[in-house]
Structure formats: C-alpha cells, structure tokens
Amino acid sequence: MFLDTSGLFCVLHQAEAFHEQARAMYKAATSRITHSGILAEFVALAQARRVERTEVLSFLVDLIDNPDIRFVWVYESLYREGLALLSARLDKTYSLCDAVSFILMRHHRLTEALTTDRHFAQEGFRRLLVPA
C-alpha cells in the first residue's frame, strides 16, 4: 500500500473523518511504501491544519525509523519523471508530489493508496479512503 499525505494525516489526527478507518488499514497493511516528498507535504498540511508541531515531527521520525515502511528518497531522475508526467497530464491539477507518487506506485506495481486524494483515482489507482 502506498502511504500518501492525506492518508497519513488521517492516521495521525483524531479529528479527521477517516481517522479510525485509516488507522485500521495502516495497521493491517502487509507492505507500506512512501517517499520523502510526502514528508515535506505532510509538514505543510499539518501546519495549515494547526496541528502541534512536536506531535507532527515525532510522528514523522517514527515513520522514517519504522523498518516496516519502505522509504524512497526522491532524487533528480524521479523528479524529472514526475515533471514529464505533469506535462503529459496538463488537464489535471496534480502536484509534483502526486506525480512522483504515481510513478513510484507504477514502479513497485502498487494499486492501492492510503489517501483521500481523488487524483489517485483519476490516475487509475484505488484510493482507500472514500466517503460512503
């Protein structure tokens, strides 16, 4: 399962509508992968939602240190692939972080993402956190 920013935020923040569902899916996952761009996006989202900074940083350090999560540290060629994807999808409002996520998911043959972001569904992936 790919761990996206919004899904991780649901895992952390009890006030999120999908908090319990996200925690259960996160715990049940047999494999988890994410990338360093998600970390940067997560800090910005948490700051915008006024979540205590020490809680956010502690959560992220725990994720990085978790041996059950595969972290991909984004490098130049991956960003270039993301930019190429964005150029090919000018009708979409994907972020560069989204594009890198899609590329990683394809490279690792992943189909499911712990996310609320509709862009994953637009790109053909299964978003796990959707309203009933």
Side-chain angles (χ1 to χ4, degrees), residues 11-12 16 19-20 23 54 77 88 107 113-114 121 125 128-129 131:
V11 170
L12 171 69
E16 289 299 302
H19 175 70
E20 292 302 324
R23 284 180 55 88
T54 56
S77 63
H107 284 179
L114 188 66
F125 299 107
L128 297 175
L129 302 174

Side-chain angles (χ1 to χ4, degrees), residues 37-75:
I38 297 295
L39 302 176
E41 195 174 63
F42 188 92
V43 170
L45 175 62
Q47 183 173 328
R49 302 268 180 95
R50 301 189 191 287
V51 177
E52 176 63 39
R53 195 166 188 84
T54 56
E55 180 183 8
V56 170
L57 297 176
S58 177
F59 179 77
L60 292 180
V61 168
D62 287 346
L63 285 176
I64 293 168
D65 290 342
N66 187 332
D68 296 326
I69 298 174
R70 178 161 183 204
F71 265 91
V72 174
W73 299 96
V74 180
Y75 45 89

Side-chain angles (χ1 to χ4, degrees), residues 85-102:
L85 178 65
L86 292 178
S87 294
R89 307 281 197 278
L90 294 175
D91 61 320
K92 305 293 184 204
T93 58
Y94 301 163
S95 69
L96 180 56
C97 188
D98 288 343
V100 168
S101 299
F102 303 153

Side-chain angles (χ1 to χ4, degrees), residues 6 23 33 63 72 117 123 127:
S6 64
R23 284 180 55 88
I33 187 170
L63 285 176
V72 174
D117 187 342
E123 197 60 26
R127 113 180 132 144

Side-chain angles (χ1 to χ4, degrees), residues 26-40:
Y26 175 86
K27 287 179 181 180
T30 57
S31 70
R32 300 178 202 112
I33 187 170
T34 195
H35 63 83
S36 54
I38 297 295
L39 302 176

